[in-house]
Each structure stands twice: as C-alpha cells, then as structure tokens.
C-alpha cells in the first residue's frame, strides 16, 4: 500500500473534490431546475437539503474512504467484512461508468460550443444548431474528444494529474463566473430575473414544497457527487491529519456557492432577453442561453468565457468519475494506472457513443437511471456508516480535529436515522413512478421508516452473527 499515490496537500484534495463536485450539475442542471421549479422556492428547499442531507452524507462517504484507504470494492469489502461490500463497490464503479457515459456526451456538446463561440456559429439559429449537433456522428466525435482530455489527466495520476489540473481549473471557474455575474448585473432588464431567483415567496413555497423536494434532493445528491463512491475514492488518498468535518464543510459550501453563482449569471440573462425560464429544460444552456448571447453586444466574447468555464468545470468532474474505475483496476487488480486508464476509456468511448446516437436512451440514463443509482449507493453508505461502523466512524470523524467534537454524535444520529429514511423515501418515489404505481405521501413515509428499521435490524444482527462465527 505504501506506493499508493496521495494528495500533495490538503488544499489539493479540497480543490480536487470541489472540482469533482462542481460541474455540469451546478452550471447546466441547477439553473434550469431552479427556473422550472419556481425560482427562489427551489433554491431554498435545495439549500435546506444540502445542509440537512448533503453535508452529513458527504461526510459519511469521506469517512468510508479514509477508513478503508482503498477504492470502493476493496474498501467496502474490508469495512463490512462481507462479500456484499465488494458487490456494493462494484455497483459504485458501475454507477461512475453510467454517469460518465452521458456526462462525456454533454461534455462533448460543451467542447463544441466552446470552440465555435468566438465566431458565434450558433447565433443565427440556436434551436436548429442544438437540434442538429446534439445526437449523431458529430456528437460521437466530440464525446470522444472530451473523453480524451479527461483520460489524459487521469493517466498521470492523483498528484501529477488530477491535483495539478484542479488547482488551476477550479479557481479559473470561480473567477470567470464572478466576472460574468458582475457583467450580468450591468445588463438592462435583469431585475425580474433576480426577483424570481432571490425573493422569498412563502406562499409559493408552502403550496409547492412537496413537489419541489424530490428534484431538490436529486440535485443535491448529484451536485455533491454523492453515492457513486467518487468522494470515497478521493478521500482514500487522504492521511489522518486531514479534518474530515472541516473539509466537508468547505467543499459543500464552495460547491453550493458555484451553483448559486451560475444561477446569478444564467437566470437574469434569460429574463433580460425575454426568454421564458421554465421553457428551458435540459436544453436551457444551449438554446435559451445561446439565444440570449446572440442578442447581446459582444455576445461572442461572453459566450466564449461562459462555455470555457463550463468546460473546465465539466473536465474536473469528469476526471473524478474516471478516477474511480481506473483506481479500482489499479488497487484491486494490480493493473498499471496508464493501462487501466486506456482500458476504461475504451469502454467509455463505446458506451458514450451509444448514448450520443440514441437520444431516448440518453434521456433515461441521464435522468432516472443516474438518480436511481446514486440514491441506492448513498442508502447503502448510510447503512454501513450508521449501523455497522458506528464507533469506528466516530473515530474517523474525530481524527485530525478536536474542533467539531460536539457535532460527532448528532452527525452519526443523522446518518443512522434521518438519512436512510429520507433516501428511502426518495427511492420509493422514483421506483413508484417508474413502475407506474401511485403511492400516497403517507404510504411513502411508512415504507421509508419501516424499511430503515428493518434494514437496521438485519444489518446489526448480520454483523453480530459474523463476529460470533469468526471467533
Ligand atoms: N457533481 C457533478 C456535477 O455536479 O456536475 C456530477 C457528478 C460527478 C455526479 C460525480 C456524481 C458523481 F459521482
């Protein structure tokens, strides 16, 4: 294990983790979800979910990573002491492959928009341009290019590749976004956008809380990269001096800041150009925003700055997704890193190309399937940390810091009870709508509570039996 790569500095880890978290989820998904779900109402529920579920969940995943000091399959196998830990780790690896397959297709779109923005190729007919390039052979080509960039960085490893690139790209993202947000504020007609995004509408919130909580929670998991073992893998390269609660807070706050900042650029701009924010949907960035850029003075420059930012954010998230399967091959199968990078990239080149050719499968994979896999992953993590590790998890929480001591037990309580219930509730929502069954709110709550208690009992008994039989 001594030849395992590691972060050069804690700052490097934090920047890479924020870079991994802040990506298309923040700049592409967050603004259109917010716009389509009532603006400020969504923002508030989303912030609540990030604090209540996201932060404790992220900390749980970090605890698993540093406690296990290995990639998901080996770490979860040794932490659970059972073979189903390996299966869960394999499921995590599969999740990263599924997500990166579609992520790389969108990354390809972004790459293309970055290249053509200086000459405003899509300015004349944004809708048609997006329609013509989003799926098909050209989309395959740009997906491969994007994947190539990501693979080239992972090829060089944690300290030489990922840490170095994140240290440059993440500050770049923040600086350009800040500049764009200031520039947006100087544009005429943006006031309505700010009001929609930032003003607190208690009535709307009360009336729509239940319909907003699902997408807000899904977004919180996606944006923090929770449940895929990516954060687990990054934390496995940490040493005992790092304070996990402190790093978690810094990472969650920075990631949220980047999302909110992206909203401050995208939403007022859409309003200023009279583009209906709800109309955007997933195409918002490419169609609605492109329409806004096309009509603005100096639109080419602004568009280029914007897409360069999105591209950098997408690349740093892409490398976090590729690192997990690559590191698994390195750690568990002894494959040299460079060969592992090539092998996994070839696989992703194929799966991503499939998605770049079939929009219906792409829709399903990038929406329902990704959400479902992340939710299942996070549920399993909370069960392991909250019901199996317990004392060990607390020790890991405390290692490297005395400052957050008072939070240790409330955190474990949240991870043992609140998180599994909420996550199971979300899972029931998704599964019920997939199966076309309608389960009332009360029914979903009951399923979530009973499911959590039942699992807690099974896991505790299972681990006791394992311990007895190993004596
Ligand atoms: N958090 C990334 C984003 O917001 O773009 C997406 C992501 C990366 C999700 C890694 C899940 C993951 F494991």
């Amino acid at each position: 294990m001594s030849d395992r790569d590691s972060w050069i500095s804690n700052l490097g880890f934090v920047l890479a983790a924020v870079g991994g978290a802040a990506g298309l989820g923040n700049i592409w998904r967050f603004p259109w979800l917010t716009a389509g779900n009532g603006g400020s109402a969504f923002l508030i529920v989303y912030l609540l979910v990030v604090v209540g579920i996201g932060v404790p969940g992220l900390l749980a995943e970090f605890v698993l990573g540093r406690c296990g000091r290995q990639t998901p399959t080996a770490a979860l196998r040794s932490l659970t002491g059972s073979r189903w830990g390996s299966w869960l780790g394999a499921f995590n690896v599969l999740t990263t492959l599924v997500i990166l397959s579609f992520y790389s297709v969108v990354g390809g779109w972004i790459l293309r928009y970055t290249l053509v923005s200086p000459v405003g190729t899509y300015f004349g007919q944004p809708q048609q341009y997006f329609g013509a390039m989003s799926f098909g052979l050209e989309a395959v080509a740009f997906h491969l290019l994007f994947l190539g960039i990501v693979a080239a960085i992972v090829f060089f490893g944690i300290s030489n590749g990922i840490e170095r690139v994140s240290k440059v790209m993440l500050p770049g993202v923040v600086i350009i976004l800040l500049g764009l947000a200031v520039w947006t504020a100087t544009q005429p007609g943006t006031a309505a956008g700010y009001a929609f995004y930032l003003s607190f509408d208690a009535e709307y919130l009360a009336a729509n809380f239940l319909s907003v909580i699902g997408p807000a929670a899904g977004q919180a998991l996606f944006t923090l990269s929770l449940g895929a073992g990516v954060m687990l893998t990054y934390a496995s390269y940490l040493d005992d001096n790092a304070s996990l609660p402190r790093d978690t807070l810094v990472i969650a706050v920075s990631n949220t800041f980047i999302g909110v900042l992206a909203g401050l650029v995208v939403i007022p701009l859409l309003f200023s150009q009279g583009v209906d924010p709800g109309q955007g949907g997933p195409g918002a960035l490419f169609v609605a925003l492109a329409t806004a850029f096309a009509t603005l003075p100096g639109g080419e420059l602004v568009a280029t700055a914007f897409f360069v930012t999105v591209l950098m954010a997408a690349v740093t998230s892409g490398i976090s997704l590729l690192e997990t399967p690559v590191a698994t091959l390195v750690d568990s199968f002894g494959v040299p890193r460079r060969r592992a990078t090539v092998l996994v990239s070839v696989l992703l080149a194929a799966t991503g190309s499939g998605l770049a050719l079939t929009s219906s499968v792409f829709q399903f994979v990038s929406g329902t399937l990704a959400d479902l896999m992340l939710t299942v992953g996070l549920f399993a993590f909370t069960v392991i940390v909250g019901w199996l590790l317990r004392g060990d998890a607390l020790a890991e929480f405390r290692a490297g810091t005395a400052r957050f001591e008072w939070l240790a037990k409330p955190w474990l309580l949240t991870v043992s009870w609140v998180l599994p219930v909420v996550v199971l509730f979300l899972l029931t929502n998704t599964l019920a709508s997939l199966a076309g069954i309608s389960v009332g709110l009360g029914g979903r709550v009951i399923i979530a509570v009973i499911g959590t208690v039942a699992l807690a009992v099974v896991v505790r008994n299972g681990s006791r039996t394992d311990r007895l039989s190993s004596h």
Side-chain angles (χ1 to χ4, degrees):
M1 285 304 300
S2 57
D3 57 353
R4 207 167 177 257
D5 206 349
S6 65
W7 304 105
I8 297 170
S9 66
N10 192 248
L11 179 68
F13 160 70
V14 170
L15 289 179
V18 177
L24 296 171
N26 304 55
I27 311 182
W28 165 64
R29 209 170 185 246
F30 176 70
W32 70 256
L33 269 178
T34 309
N37 285 290
S40 58
F42 182 83
L43 180 62
I44 290 164
V45 177
Y46 165 77
L47 292 177
L48 287 176
V49 181
V50 166
V51 174
I53 311 292
V55 171
L58 182 58
L59 186 47
E61 199 169 325
F62 281 157
V63 159
L64 285 174
R66 195 176 57 180
C67 216
R69 294 271 158 87
Q70 297 248 14
T71 38
T73 42
L76 296 172
R77 157 100 209 175
S78 77
L79 291 175
T80 58
S82 120
R83 195 174 296 158
W84 72 262
S86 313
W87 285 111
L88 173 61
F91 179 76
N92 289 151
V93 172
L94 188 64
T95 306
T96 60
L97 294 173
V98 166
I99 294 182
L100 191 48
S101 299
F102 81 80
Y103 208 85
S104 173
V105 175
V106 184
W109 299 346
I110 304 278
L111 181 59
R112 180 172 186 151
Y113 271 70
T114 309
L115 294 175
V116 301
S117 286
V119 287
T121 313
Y122 53 86
F123 281 17
Q125 294 182 309
Q127 179 90 48
Q128 284 82 341
Y129 187 86
F130 180 69
M133 70 99 224
S134 43
F135 293 99
L137 284 179
E138 291 183 19
V140 169
F142 279 94
H143 142 66
L144 295 177
L145 262 175
F146 178 85
L147 188 62
I149 297 174
V150 168
I153 300 166
V154 172
F155 195 79
F156 289 103
I158 287 292
S159 46
N160 280 329
I162 299 179
E163 186 165 355
R164 248 192 220 165
V165 168
S166 306
K167 273 182 180 162
V168 176
M169 286 200 180
L170 184 70
V173 168
V174 175
I175 291 168
I176 305 180
L177 268 185
L178 274 174
L180 284 170
V182 171
W183 175 85
T184 302
T186 65
Q187 296 304 303
T190 48
Y194 289 115
F196 175 74
Y197 186 39
L198 300 175
S199 67
F200 179 66
D201 183 347
E203 238 169 69
Y204 183 94
L205 187 58
N208 293 282
F209 185 79
L210 288 176
S211 63
V212 169
I213 181 111
Q219 172 62 11
L221 299 200
F222 188 82
T223 186
L224 285 170
S225 309
L226 278 179
V230 162
M231 291 304 194
L232 186 159
T233 304
Y234 270 14
S236 74
Y237 300 111
L238 275 177
D239 60 33
D240 282 335
N241 299 327
S243 157
L244 293 182
R246 183 201 57 201
D247 287 356
T248 303
L249 280 180
V250 174
I251 291 162
V253 168
S254 315
N255 177 58
T256 308
F257 173 75
I258 293 175
V260 172
L261 197 58
L264 281 176
V265 176
V266 176
I267 295 175
L269 269 187
L270 296 183
F271 269 83
S272 79
Q273 301 307 312
V275 181
D276 175 2
Q279 151 230 310
L285 209 65
F286 301 97
V287 179
L289 203 60
T291 309
F293 289 144
T295 46
L296 290 168
E300 287 88 352
L301 188 67
V302 182
T304 308
F306 182 79
F307 281 111
V308 165
T309 317
V310 188
L311 182 63
M312 290 196 294
V315 165
T316 50
S317 296
I319 55 186
S320 75
L321 282 158
L322 183 57
E323 173 61 20
T324 303
V326 166
T328 303
L329 283 185
V330 175
D331 272 2
S332 299
F333 298 93
V335 181
R337 168 171 284 270
R338 296 182 174 194
R339 190 178 306 160
T341 310
V342 173
L343 282 175
V344 179
S345 303
V346 167
L347 175 68
L348 285 164
T351 52
S353 297
L355 294 183
L357 291 172
T358 39
S359 79
S360 55
V361 184
F362 174 93
Q363 303 283 343
F364 173 73
V365 172
S366 63
T368 316
L369 187 63
D371 277 355
L372 199 62
M373 293 183 93
L374 291 178
T375 327
V376 170
L378 180 61
F379 183 74
F381 290 163
T382 61
V383 171
I384 296 173
V385 172
W387 293 104
L388 265 184
L389 297 183
R390 300 187 69 82
D392 291 339
L394 282 177
E396 205 56 58
F397 179 108
R398 292 182 177 122
T401 184
R403 210 176 334 145
F404 297 94
E405 176 57 38
W406 58 281
L407 271 175
K409 288 208 169 130
W411 165 73
L412 191 61
L413 211 63
T414 311
V415 174
S416 314
W417 290 111
V418 183
L419 252 81
V421 171
V422 175
V423 175
L424 212 50
F425 175 82
L426 294 172
L427 211 54
T428 319
N429 276 351
T430 318
L431 288 177
S433 71
L434 254 186
I437 306 168
S438 90
V439 186
L441 180 67
R444 280 175 277 165
V445 173
I446 292 173
I447 293 176
V449 173
I450 294 183
T452 301
V453 175
L455 248 155
V457 172
V458 170
V459 171
R460 301 277 297 171
N461 278 343
S463 75
R464 202 166 299 137
T465 320
D466 281 353
R467 250 177 278 139
L468 287 178
S469 62
S470 70
H471 280 305

